[in-house]
PDB file of all heavy atoms in Angstrom:
ATOM      1  N   PRO A  27     112.599  99.805  76.651  1.00 89.00           N
ATOM      2  CA  PRO A  27     113.061 100.021  78.099  1.00 89.00           C
ATOM      3  C   PRO A  27     113.079  98.722  78.845  1.00 89.00           C
ATOM      4  O   PRO A  27     113.924  98.547  79.741  1.00 89.00           O
ATOM      5  CB  PRO A  27     112.027 100.988  78.671  1.00 89.00           C
ATOM      6  CG  PRO A  27     111.429 101.637  77.490  1.00 89.00           C
ATOM      7  CD  PRO A  27     111.526 100.686  76.331  1.00 89.00           C
ATOM      8  N   TRP A  30     116.061  96.982  77.838  1.00 86.00           N
ATOM      9  CA  TRP A  30     117.132  97.844  78.325  1.00 86.00           C
ATOM     10  C   TRP A  30     117.418  97.597  79.838  1.00 86.00           C
ATOM     11  O   TRP A  30     118.545  97.477  80.280  1.00 86.00           O
ATOM     12  CB  TRP A  30     116.877  99.283  77.974  1.00 86.00           C
ATOM     13  CG  TRP A  30     118.023 100.222  78.389  1.00 86.00           C
ATOM     14  CD1 TRP A  30     117.973 101.024  79.487  1.00 86.00           C
ATOM     15  CD2 TRP A  30     119.221 100.421  77.750  1.00 86.00           C
ATOM     16  NE1 TRP A  30     119.105 101.751  79.534  1.00 86.00           N
ATOM     17  CE2 TRP A  30     119.927 101.409  78.510  1.00 86.00           C
ATOM     18  CE3 TRP A  30     119.803  99.887  76.626  1.00 86.00           C
ATOM     19  CZ2 TRP A  30     121.214 101.838  78.110  1.00 86.00           C
ATOM     20  CZ3 TRP A  30     121.049 100.263  76.221  1.00 86.00           C
ATOM     21  CH2 TRP A  30     121.774 101.293  77.001  1.00 86.00           C
ATOM     22  N   LEU A  41     124.077 107.536  87.975  1.00 66.00           N
ATOM     23  CA  LEU A  41     123.715 108.850  87.401  1.00 66.00           C
ATOM     24  C   LEU A  41     124.931 109.675  87.149  1.00 66.00           C
ATOM     25  O   LEU A  41     124.987 110.399  86.170  1.00 66.00           O
ATOM     26  CB  LEU A  41     122.747 109.579  88.325  1.00 66.00           C
ATOM     27  CG  LEU A  41     121.267 109.251  88.282  1.00 66.00           C
ATOM     28  CD1 LEU A  41     120.543 110.163  89.265  1.00 66.00           C
ATOM     29  CD2 LEU A  41     120.750 109.434  86.888  1.00 66.00           C
ATOM     30  N   GLU A 119      96.365 113.143  89.245  1.00 89.00           N
ATOM     31  CA  GLU A 119      96.815 112.378  90.444  1.00 89.00           C
ATOM     32  C   GLU A 119      97.458 113.282  91.520  1.00 89.00           C
ATOM     33  O   GLU A 119      97.323 113.047  92.669  1.00 89.00           O
ATOM     34  CB  GLU A 119      97.718 111.229  90.043  1.00 89.00           C
ATOM     35  CG  GLU A 119      98.897 111.586  89.122  1.00 89.00           C
ATOM     36  CD  GLU A 119      99.731 110.339  88.782  1.00 89.00           C
ATOM     37  OE1 GLU A 119      99.553 109.308  89.414  1.00 89.00           O
ATOM     38  OE2 GLU A 119     100.498 110.388  87.826  1.00 89.00           O
ATOM     39  N   LEU A 120      98.177 114.302  91.068  1.00 89.00           N
ATOM     40  CA  LEU A 120      98.912 115.151  91.975  1.00 89.00           C
ATOM     41  C   LEU A 120      97.921 116.041  92.804  1.00 89.00           C
ATOM     42  O   LEU A 120      98.107 116.223  94.007  1.00 89.00           O
ATOM     43  CB  LEU A 120      99.883 116.012  91.269  1.00 89.00           C
ATOM     44  CG  LEU A 120     100.987 116.392  92.199  1.00 89.00           C
ATOM     45  CD1 LEU A 120     101.936 115.317  92.447  1.00 89.00           C
ATOM     46  CD2 LEU A 120     101.777 117.556  91.650  1.00 89.00           C
ATOM     47  N   PHE A 124      97.389 115.851  96.744  1.00 87.00           N
ATOM     48  CA  PHE A 124      97.491 117.025  97.488  1.00 87.00           C
ATOM     49  C   PHE A 124      96.285 117.311  98.386  1.00 87.00           C
ATOM     50  O   PHE A 124      96.474 117.705  99.576  1.00 87.00           O
ATOM     51  CB  PHE A 124      97.563 118.119  96.492  1.00 87.00           C
ATOM     52  CG  PHE A 124      98.540 119.078  96.854  1.00 87.00           C
ATOM     53  CD1 PHE A 124      98.886 120.086  96.032  1.00 87.00           C
ATOM     54  CD2 PHE A 124      99.206 118.945  98.020  1.00 87.00           C
ATOM     55  CE1 PHE A 124      99.784 121.040  96.383  1.00 87.00           C
ATOM     56  CE2 PHE A 124     100.172 119.884  98.367  1.00 87.00           C
ATOM     57  CZ  PHE A 124     100.467 120.878  97.564  1.00 87.00           C
ATOM     58  N   THR A 135      91.328 118.913 107.543  1.00 81.00           N
ATOM     59  CA  THR A 135      89.944 118.795 107.811  1.00 81.00           C
ATOM     60  C   THR A 135      89.561 117.633 108.695  1.00 81.00           C
ATOM     61  O   THR A 135      88.688 117.700 109.530  1.00 81.00           O
ATOM     62  CB  THR A 135      89.184 118.675 106.395  1.00 81.00           C
ATOM     63  OG1 THR A 135      89.664 119.662 105.515  1.00 81.00           O
ATOM     64  CG2 THR A 135      87.700 118.792 106.544  1.00 81.00           C
ATOM     65  N   TRP A 164      90.180 105.605  98.173  1.00 96.00           N
ATOM     66  CA  TRP A 164      89.345 106.773  97.907  1.00 96.00           C
ATOM     67  C   TRP A 164      89.500 107.234  96.455  1.00 96.00           C
ATOM     68  O   TRP A 164      88.588 107.480  95.718  1.00 96.00           O
ATOM     69  CB  TRP A 164      89.827 107.892  98.848  1.00 96.00           C
ATOM     70  CG  TRP A 164      89.304 109.301  98.509  1.00 96.00           C
ATOM     71  CD1 TRP A 164      88.029 109.744  98.749  1.00 96.00           C
ATOM     72  CD2 TRP A 164      89.985 110.361  97.901  1.00 96.00           C
ATOM     73  NE1 TRP A 164      87.909 111.029  98.299  1.00 96.00           N
ATOM     74  CE2 TRP A 164      89.134 111.462  97.746  1.00 96.00           C
ATOM     75  CE3 TRP A 164      91.305 110.489  97.409  1.00 96.00           C
ATOM     76  CZ2 TRP A 164      89.500 112.669  97.236  1.00 96.00           C
ATOM     77  CZ3 TRP A 164      91.717 111.704  96.897  1.00 96.00           C
ATOM     78  CH2 TRP A 164      90.737 112.749  96.762  1.00 96.00           C
ATOM     79  N   PHE A 169      86.572 103.646  89.468  1.00 92.00           N
ATOM     80  CA  PHE A 169      86.785 102.772  88.357  1.00 92.00           C
ATOM     81  C   PHE A 169      85.992 101.460  88.518  1.00 92.00           C
ATOM     82  O   PHE A 169      85.215 101.025  87.677  1.00 92.00           O
ATOM     83  CB  PHE A 169      88.300 102.491  88.185  1.00 92.00           C
ATOM     84  CG  PHE A 169      88.602 101.543  87.001  1.00 92.00           C
ATOM     85  CD1 PHE A 169      88.701 102.083  85.684  1.00 92.00           C
ATOM     86  CD2 PHE A 169      88.815 100.205  87.221  1.00 92.00           C
ATOM     87  CE1 PHE A 169      88.982 101.239  84.622  1.00 92.00           C
ATOM     88  CE2 PHE A 169      89.123  99.401  86.167  1.00 92.00           C
ATOM     89  CZ  PHE A 169      89.158  99.871  84.907  1.00 92.00           C
ATOM     90  N   GLU A 190      63.669  86.135  94.433  1.00 82.00           N
ATOM     91  CA  GLU A 190      63.000  86.828  95.509  1.00 82.00           C
ATOM     92  C   GLU A 190      61.680  86.147  95.877  1.00 82.00           C
ATOM     93  O   GLU A 190      61.269  85.932  97.000  1.00 82.00           O
ATOM     94  CB  GLU A 190      62.764  88.265  95.201  1.00 82.00           C
ATOM     95  CG  GLU A 190      62.540  89.103  96.447  1.00 82.00           C
ATOM     96  CD  GLU A 190      62.425  90.625  96.048  1.00 82.00           C
ATOM     97  OE1 GLU A 190      62.683  91.009  94.885  1.00 82.00           O
ATOM     98  OE2 GLU A 190      62.109  91.419  96.969  1.00 82.00           O
ATOM     99  N   GLY A 225     101.767  99.779  90.594  1.00 90.00           N
ATOM    100  CA  GLY A 225     102.628 100.876  90.100  1.00 90.00           C
ATOM    101  C   GLY A 225     102.398 102.196  90.728  1.00 90.00           C
ATOM    102  O   GLY A 225     103.002 103.203  90.328  1.00 90.00           O
ATOM    103  N   SER A 266     113.199  97.442  89.164  1.00 88.00           N
ATOM    104  CA  SER A 266     112.121  97.659  88.219  1.00 88.00           C
ATOM    105  C   SER A 266     111.838  96.333  87.419  1.00 88.00           C
ATOM    106  O   SER A 266     110.700  96.067  87.053  1.00 88.00           O
ATOM    107  CB  SER A 266     112.402  98.815  87.296  1.00 88.00           C
ATOM    108  OG  SER A 266     113.191  98.476  86.239  1.00 88.00           O
ATOM    109  N   ARG A 285      90.769  85.999  76.881  1.00 66.00           N
ATOM    110  CA  ARG A 285      91.199  85.292  75.640  1.00 66.00           C
ATOM    111  C   ARG A 285      90.143  85.252  74.571  1.00 66.00           C
ATOM    112  O   ARG A 285      90.411  85.627  73.434  1.00 66.00           O
ATOM    113  CB  ARG A 285      91.627  83.881  76.054  1.00 66.00           C
ATOM    114  CG  ARG A 285      91.988  82.985  74.874  1.00 66.00           C
ATOM    115  CD  ARG A 285      92.599  81.770  75.421  1.00 66.00           C
ATOM    116  NE  ARG A 285      93.891  81.546  74.789  1.00 66.00           N
ATOM    117  CZ  ARG A 285      94.825  80.749  75.261  1.00 66.00           C
ATOM    118  NH1 ARG A 285      94.646  80.154  76.437  1.00 66.00           N
ATOM    119  NH2 ARG A 285      95.974  80.616  74.590  1.00 66.00           N
ATOM    120  N   GLU A 287      87.955  87.101  73.689  1.00 54.00           N
ATOM    121  CA  GLU A 287      87.587  88.356  73.076  1.00 54.00           C
ATOM    122  C   GLU A 287      88.469  88.672  71.888  1.00 54.00           C
ATOM    123  O   GLU A 287      88.067  89.456  71.015  1.00 54.00           O
ATOM    124  CB  GLU A 287      87.716  89.511  74.031  1.00 54.00           C
ATOM    125  CG  GLU A 287      87.142  89.182  75.425  1.00 54.00           C
ATOM    126  CD  GLU A 287      85.764  89.866  75.628  1.00 54.00           C
ATOM    127  OE1 GLU A 287      85.575  90.990  75.108  1.00 54.00           O
ATOM    128  OE2 GLU A 287      84.893  89.282  76.276  1.00 54.00           O
TER     129      GLU A 287
ATOM    130  N   ARG B   3      60.384  97.052 103.905  1.00 71.00           N
ATOM    131  CA  ARG B   3      61.030  97.558 102.661  1.00 71.00           C
ATOM    132  C   ARG B   3      61.375  99.030 102.828  1.00 71.00           C
ATOM    133  O   ARG B   3      62.465  99.398 102.410  1.00 71.00           O
ATOM    134  CB  ARG B   3      59.975  97.441 101.558  1.00 71.00           C
ATOM    135  CG  ARG B   3      60.194  96.172 100.841  1.00 71.00           C
ATOM    136  CD  ARG B   3      60.111  96.298  99.412  1.00 71.00           C
ATOM    137  NE  ARG B   3      61.163  95.417  98.894  1.00 71.00           N
ATOM    138  CZ  ARG B   3      61.330  95.114  97.645  1.00 71.00           C
ATOM    139  NH1 ARG B   3      60.472  95.611  96.758  1.00 71.00           N
ATOM    140  NH2 ARG B   3      62.240  94.329  97.240  1.00 71.00           N
ATOM    141  N   PHE B  21      83.520 110.700 100.338  1.00 93.00           N
ATOM    142  CA  PHE B  21      84.319 110.867  99.163  1.00 93.00           C
ATOM    143  C   PHE B  21      84.538 112.389  98.881  1.00 93.00           C
ATOM    144  O   PHE B  21      85.541 112.738  98.242  1.00 93.00           O
ATOM    145  CB  PHE B  21      83.659 110.182  97.950  1.00 93.00           C
ATOM    146  CG  PHE B  21      84.119 108.758  97.845  1.00 93.00           C
ATOM    147  CD1 PHE B  21      83.527 107.731  98.520  1.00 93.00           C
ATOM    148  CD2 PHE B  21      85.200 108.444  97.038  1.00 93.00           C
ATOM    149  CE1 PHE B  21      83.943 106.436  98.423  1.00 93.00           C
ATOM    150  CE2 PHE B  21      85.646 107.125  96.928  1.00 93.00           C
ATOM    151  CZ  PHE B  21      85.041 106.122  97.629  1.00 93.00           C
ATOM    152  N   ALA B  41      89.231 122.544 105.578  1.00 76.00           N
ATOM    153  CA  ALA B  41      88.155 123.168 104.859  1.00 76.00           C
ATOM    154  C   ALA B  41      87.326 124.031 105.835  1.00 76.00           C
ATOM    155  O   ALA B  41      87.060 123.666 106.915  1.00 76.00           O
ATOM    156  CB  ALA B  41      87.163 122.107 104.280  1.00 76.00           C
ATOM    157  N   TYR B 103      97.247  89.747  71.587  1.00 85.00           N
ATOM    158  CA  TYR B 103      97.582  89.253  72.899  1.00 85.00           C
ATOM    159  C   TYR B 103      98.656  90.116  73.521  1.00 85.00           C
ATOM    160  O   TYR B 103      98.540  90.547  74.651  1.00 85.00           O
ATOM    161  CB  TYR B 103      98.167  87.837  72.806  1.00 85.00           C
ATOM    162  CG  TYR B 103      97.224  86.779  73.147  1.00 85.00           C
ATOM    163  CD1 TYR B 103      97.219  85.620  72.456  1.00 85.00           C
ATOM    164  CD2 TYR B 103      96.355  86.947  74.248  1.00 85.00           C
ATOM    165  CE1 TYR B 103      96.360  84.598  72.778  1.00 85.00           C
ATOM    166  CE2 TYR B 103      95.469  85.970  74.571  1.00 85.00           C
ATOM    167  CZ  TYR B 103      95.442  84.789  73.842  1.00 85.00           C
ATOM    168  OH  TYR B 103      94.600  83.822  74.130  1.00 85.00           O
ATOM    169  N   THR B 114     104.908 102.504  85.656  1.00 87.00           N
ATOM    170  CA  THR B 114     105.841 103.060  86.658  1.00 87.00           C
ATOM    171  C   THR B 114     107.128 102.268  86.632  1.00 87.00           C
ATOM    172  O   THR B 114     108.229 102.839  86.781  1.00 87.00           O
ATOM    173  CB  THR B 114     105.216 102.935  88.000  1.00 87.00           C
ATOM    174  OG1 THR B 114     103.883 103.459  88.003  1.00 87.00           O
ATOM    175  CG2 THR B 114     106.040 103.668  89.056  1.00 87.00           C
ATOM    176  N   ALA B 115     107.036 100.954  86.464  1.00 86.00           N
ATOM    177  CA  ALA B 115     108.132 100.090  86.559  1.00 86.00           C
ATOM    178  C   ALA B 115     109.195 100.354  85.487  1.00 86.00           C
ATOM    179  O   ALA B 115     110.394  99.970  85.670  1.00 86.00           O
ATOM    180  CB  ALA B 115     107.726  98.586  86.572  1.00 86.00           C
ATOM    181  N   TYR B 121     114.465 106.289  81.763  1.00 90.00           N
ATOM    182  CA  TYR B 121     115.456 107.453  82.049  1.00 90.00           C
ATOM    183  C   TYR B 121     116.869 107.090  81.577  1.00 90.00           C
ATOM    184  O   TYR B 121     117.511 107.931  80.861  1.00 90.00           O
ATOM    185  CB  TYR B 121     115.452 107.701  83.521  1.00 90.00           C
ATOM    186  CG  TYR B 121     116.441 108.836  83.845  1.00 90.00           C
ATOM    187  CD1 TYR B 121     116.136 110.165  83.663  1.00 90.00           C
ATOM    188  CD2 TYR B 121     117.735 108.531  84.322  1.00 90.00           C
ATOM    189  CE1 TYR B 121     116.988 111.150  83.906  1.00 90.00           C
ATOM    190  CE2 TYR B 121     118.631 109.544  84.596  1.00 90.00           C
ATOM    191  CZ  TYR B 121     118.276 110.861  84.387  1.00 90.00           C
ATOM    192  OH  TYR B 121     119.183 111.829  84.655  1.00 90.00           O
ATOM    193  N   SER B 122     117.269 105.886  81.903  1.00 86.00           N
ATOM    194  CA  SER B 122     118.624 105.512  81.492  1.00 86.00           C
ATOM    195  C   SER B 122     118.789 105.417  79.968  1.00 86.00           C
ATOM    196  O   SER B 122     119.802 105.840  79.376  1.00 86.00           O
ATOM    197  CB  SER B 122     118.939 104.175  82.176  1.00 86.00           C
ATOM    198  OG  SER B 122     119.765 103.381  81.387  1.00 86.00           O
ATOM    199  N   GLY B 203      97.379 114.272  83.481  1.00 90.00           N
ATOM    200  CA  GLY B 203      97.392 114.091  84.921  1.00 90.00           C
ATOM    201  C   GLY B 203      98.636 113.363  85.343  1.00 90.00           C
ATOM    202  O   GLY B 203      98.936 113.266  86.513  1.00 90.00           O
ATOM    203  N   PHE B 205     102.126 112.593  86.521  1.00 91.00           N
ATOM    204  CA  PHE B 205     103.208 113.321  87.260  1.00 91.00           C
ATOM    205  C   PHE B 205     104.562 112.703  87.086  1.00 91.00           C
ATOM    206  O   PHE B 205     105.519 113.378  86.811  1.00 91.00           O
ATOM    207  CB  PHE B 205     102.846 113.437  88.703  1.00 91.00           C
ATOM    208  CG  PHE B 205     103.963 113.872  89.591  1.00 91.00           C
ATOM    209  CD1 PHE B 205     104.412 115.168  89.613  1.00 91.00           C
ATOM    210  CD2 PHE B 205     104.615 112.967  90.406  1.00 91.00           C
ATOM    211  CE1 PHE B 205     105.522 115.529  90.414  1.00 91.00           C
ATOM    212  CE2 PHE B 205     105.636 113.304  91.222  1.00 91.00           C
ATOM    213  CZ  PHE B 205     106.171 114.581  91.204  1.00 91.00           C
ATOM    214  N   SER B 221     101.496 119.377  85.932  1.00 82.00           N
ATOM    215  CA  SER B 221     101.529 118.357  86.883  1.00 82.00           C
ATOM    216  C   SER B 221     102.750 118.438  87.811  1.00 82.00           C
ATOM    217  O   SER B 221     102.691 118.185  88.936  1.00 82.00           O
ATOM    218  CB  SER B 221     101.484 117.003  86.207  1.00 82.00           C
ATOM    219  OG  SER B 221     102.497 116.747  85.317  1.00 82.00           O
ATOM    220  N   LEU B 239      97.955 127.687  96.131  1.00 86.00           N
ATOM    221  CA  LEU B 239      98.128 126.324  95.733  1.00 86.00           C
ATOM    222  C   LEU B 239      96.693 125.708  95.290  1.00 86.00           C
ATOM    223  O   LEU B 239      96.700 125.027  94.238  1.00 86.00           O
ATOM    224  CB  LEU B 239      98.695 125.477  96.870  1.00 86.00           C
ATOM    225  CG  LEU B 239      98.990 124.054  96.593  1.00 86.00           C
ATOM    226  CD1 LEU B 239      99.942 123.957  95.458  1.00 86.00           C
ATOM    227  CD2 LEU B 239      99.545 123.391  97.847  1.00 86.00           C
ATOM    228  N   THR B 268      86.562 103.211  79.646  1.00 44.00           N
ATOM    229  CA  THR B 268      87.218 102.003  79.992  1.00 44.00           C
ATOM    230  C   THR B 268      86.813 100.894  79.035  1.00 44.00           C
ATOM    231  O   THR B 268      86.896  99.706  79.371  1.00 44.00           O
ATOM    232  CB  THR B 268      86.971 101.570  81.395  1.00 44.00           C
ATOM    233  OG1 THR B 268      85.589 101.393  81.559  1.00 44.00           O
ATOM    234  CG2 THR B 268      87.420 102.591  82.359  1.00 44.00           C
ATOM    235  N   LYS B 272      85.951  95.598  78.745  1.00 39.00           N
ATOM    236  CA  LYS B 272      84.704  94.805  78.713  1.00 39.00           C
ATOM    237  C   LYS B 272      84.859  93.326  78.208  1.00 39.00           C
ATOM    238  O   LYS B 272      85.609  93.065  77.312  1.00 39.00           O
ATOM    239  CB  LYS B 272      83.680  95.518  77.822  1.00 39.00           C
ATOM    240  CG  LYS B 272      82.590  96.024  78.757  1.00 39.00           C
ATOM    241  CD  LYS B 272      81.387  96.458  78.084  1.00 39.00           C
ATOM    242  CE  LYS B 272      80.253  95.451  78.223  1.00 39.00           C
ATOM    243  NZ  LYS B 272      79.181  95.798  77.382  1.00 39.00           N
TER     244      LYS B 272
END
Side-chain angles (χ1 to χ4, degrees):
Chain A
W30 183 255
L41 275 183
E119 52 182 343
L120 206 73
F124 223 176
T135 311
W164 169 76
F169 181 82
E190 199 176 354
S266 83
R285 174 169 235 160
E287 315 256 326
Chain B
R3 267 225 139 167
F21 271 85
Y103 260 139
T114 312
Y121 177 80
S122 146
F205 164 74
S221 57
L239 182 59
T268 58
K272 251 194 106 191

